[in-house]
Amino acid sequence: MLPRSVEKVIEEFGRLPGIGPKTAARMAYHYIRSSNKDASKLADALNEMEGSIVFCEKCFNVSERNVCDICSSKLRSYDKICVVEEPLDVVAFEKAGIFEGVYFVLGGVISPADGIGAEELRFPQLKKRVEELVKLAETEIEVILATNPSLEGEATASYAQDLMKELTDAGKIKISRLAMGLPTGADLEYADRLTLKRAMEGRG
Amino acid sequence: MLPRSVEKVIEEFGRLPGIGPKTAARMAYHYIRSSNKDASKLADALNEMEGSIVFCEKCFNVSERNVCDICSSKLRSYDKICVVEEPLDVVAFEKAGIFEGVYFVLGGVISPADGIGAEELRFPQLKKRVEELVKLAETEIEVILATNPSLEGEATASYAQDLMKELTDAGKIKISRLAMGLPTGADLEYADRLTLKRAMEGRG
């Protein structure tokens, strides 16, 4: 009933998490209806993003350069590294403006239900980065495991903790977790500034 | 914090009706994360849609040709025309497989709150199309005003009715509206007053 090209757009939108076929159809229809070339604007933006995005080789956040603005900044503290699941978690912390250290983006959480094991995440790179910071620093490094306060987030943090046990035992690093001011099951990305601030202050 | 190209994608997604900035960010992030070129697949689909979509010159539904499959079909009844707001309404009827006539897509509803007046909709084209069908037919034409049962939908149907008053008075067309009442599976207890009133009035 709908032209094949429209069906195709609906199909592509339908791949997005949380977007069902009805919403996908509404979205496609928005672009059919709009008169000012919105569809090609989005297409251009997507192509540009896909063409220009790299992952920072230090923290693996999305970036436009090989080393991101945060990891190349002289204003950040390199004795604190905040380990998060996703790039949007970095955005949340940076928007709150409550952390002056550096980040590390794991790329997800261990989630057997979704078939995501530890080997899918950037644990070797995390270890390497922490060792790099340990070499740079004169004092103990703080590794803040800021995964979401969910079952998967806890499992992931616990895996990271085991991974760095040697460094902890040697007194090179101190591992901390965000305070449980965050309600269990919440999504870090949606937390308000104060909640994030409390969680950061209460870490230990 | 996020690369400019990512912000741009978020901005474009954010223009979609009902998509807030958080959802837009999640959507953009899905494409950053996906490894199999999903972003460019969507971009290609959008460009193809924008390049290939035309509106059927008879019914103004989205189409790949100047006259759509329905309006050029020999299997449809040309003495029944179902006037709808949007192309997706045609999809809904066709999926249900309950109407063998032809359609006309108005392109929206009269909605003063959104600054949409009658002149934004395809009323002149509707009148022209109905007159065309009247000429073709030997009997009275049925015009089903199938706008949504909302305030705006009612106002739009009422405008269309006035527009075709002459044809109605001349006995050339008969105007009808979709029946109103309780939807299948509805819980009477939760039905709103107007629905109950209409269901009671239309009983039989």
Side-chain angles (χ1 to χ4, degrees):
Chain A
M1 280 151 286
L2 282 174
R4 179 74 201 113
S5 65
V6 180
E7 299 276 12
K8 190 97 188 43
V9 169
I10 295 174
E11 198 184 304
E12 289 296 334
F13 278 136
R15 286 186 216 281
L16 284 162
I19 303 291
K22 296 251 177 189
T23 310
R26 280 258 138 240
M27 285 163 62
Y29 180 64
H30 167 82
Y31 288 109
I32 292 171
R33 198 180 189 181
S34 80
S35 43
N36 46 352
K37 295 266 168 202
D38 278 350
S40 50
K41 274 185 208 159
L42 173 60
D44 292 349
L46 286 163
N47 280 328
E48 202 198 312
M49 183 175 82
E50 194 157 84
S52 71
I53 282 300
V54 291
F55 291 94
C56 169
E57 59 189 38
K58 299 283 184 199
C59 72
F60 295 88
N61 194 2
V62 287
S63 171
E64 267 157 346
R65 278 168 296 165
N66 289 344
V67 178
C68 74
D69 290 351
I70 294 172
C71 289
S72 57
S73 166
K74 284 185 177 150
L75 301 168
R76 313 291 302 209
S77 305
Y78 289 83
D79 57 354
K80 281 185 194 70
I81 182 166
C82 180
V83 181
V84 295
E85 296 175 16
E86 313 280 17
L88 292 175
D89 300 331
V90 175
V91 175
F93 276 117
E94 289 296 292
K95 268 193 186 149
I98 46 143
F99 181 65
E100 72 292 355
V102 290
Y103 297 94
F104 187 88
V105 179
L106 273 177
V109 274
I110 298 172
S111 172
D114 302 316
I116 301 169
E119 64 285 354
E120 316 275 335
L121 306 180
R122 301 189 188 104
F123 285 117
Q125 294 92 327
L126 170 63
K127 203 176 172 191
K128 190 174 153 251
R129 178 61 174 150
V130 170
E131 285 168 348
E132 211 172 87
L133 291 177
V134 162
K135 259 181 223 161
L136 273 173
E138 283 150 22
T139 55
E140 198 183 47
I141 294 283
E142 183 179 1
V143 181
I144 304 154
L145 298 174
T147 48
N148 280 319
S150 61
L151 266 179
E152 292 83 3
E154 299 291 342
T156 307
S158 157
Y159 187 94
Q161 201 156 2
D162 291 348
L163 184 82
M164 296 182 284
K165 198 177 176 304
E166 233 169 89
L167 289 165
T168 318
D169 290 348
K172 306 271 192 192
I173 66 166
K174 188 184 85 180
I175 286 180
S176 62
R177 291 279 286 137
L178 294 179
M180 288 303 289
L182 293 161
T184 305
D187 197 325
L188 210 145
E189 185 194 340
Y190 296 108
D192 62 291
R193 189 185 166 279
L194 197 64
T195 306
L196 278 180
K197 189 167 177 287
R198 291 267 162 78
M200 185 60 82
E201 281 166 350
R203 73 183 182 270
Chain B
M1 279 151 287
L2 282 174
R4 180 74 201 112
S5 65
V6 180
E7 298 276 12
K8 191 97 187 47
V9 170
I10 295 174
E11 198 184 305
E12 289 296 333
F13 277 135
R15 287 186 214 282
L16 285 163
I19 303 291
K22 298 253 176 187
T23 310
R26 279 258 141 239
M27 285 163 61
Y29 181 64
H30 167 82
Y31 288 110
I32 291 171
R33 199 180 189 180
S34 79
S35 43
N36 46 353
K37 296 266 170 202
D38 277 350
S40 51
K41 274 185 209 159
L42 173 60
D44 291 349
L46 285 163
N47 279 328
E48 203 199 311
M49 181 175 82
E50 195 158 85
S52 70
I53 281 299
V54 292
F55 291 94
C56 168
E57 58 190 38
K58 298 283 184 199
C59 72
F60 295 89
N61 194 2
V62 287
S63 172
E64 268 157 344
R65 278 167 297 165
N66 289 343
V67 177
C68 75
D69 290 351
I70 294 172
C71 289
S72 56
S73 166
K74 283 183 177 149
L75 301 168
R76 312 292 301 207
S77 305
Y78 290 82
D79 58 352
K80 282 187 194 66
I81 181 167
C82 180
V83 181
V84 296
E85 296 176 14
E86 313 280 16
L88 293 175
D89 300 330
V90 175
V91 175
F93 276 115
E94 288 297 293
K95 270 194 186 148
I98 46 144
F99 182 65
E100 72 292 353
V102 290
Y103 297 94
F104 187 89
V105 179
L106 272 177
V109 274
I110 299 172
S111 173
D114 302 316
I116 301 169
E119 64 283 357
E120 317 275 335
L121 305 180
R122 301 190 187 105
F123 284 117
Q125 293 93 326
L126 170 63
K127 202 176 172 191
K128 189 174 155 253
R129 177 62 173 152
V130 170
E131 284 167 350
E132 211 172 87
L133 292 176
V134 163
K135 259 179 224 162
L136 274 173
E138 282 152 22
T139 55
E140 197 183 47
I141 294 283
E142 183 180 1
V143 180
I144 304 155
L145 298 174
T147 48
N148 281 319
S150 61
L151 266 178
E152 292 84 3
E154 298 291 342
T156 307
S158 155
Y159 188 96
Q161 200 155 4
D162 290 350
L163 183 83
M164 295 181 286
K165 197 177 178 303
E166 234 170 87
L167 289 166
T168 317
D169 291 349
K172 307 272 192 191
I173 66 167
K174 188 185 85 179
I175 286 180
S176 62
R177 293 276 285 138
L178 293 180
M180 306 256 303
L182 292 163
T184 308
D187 198 328
L188 214 142
E189 187 189 339
Y190 296 113
D192 62 290
R193 192 188 158 273
L194 198 63
T195 303
L196 277 183
K197 187 169 177 279
R198 293 269 161 80
M200 188 59 85
E201 281 167 358
R203 72 184 181 273

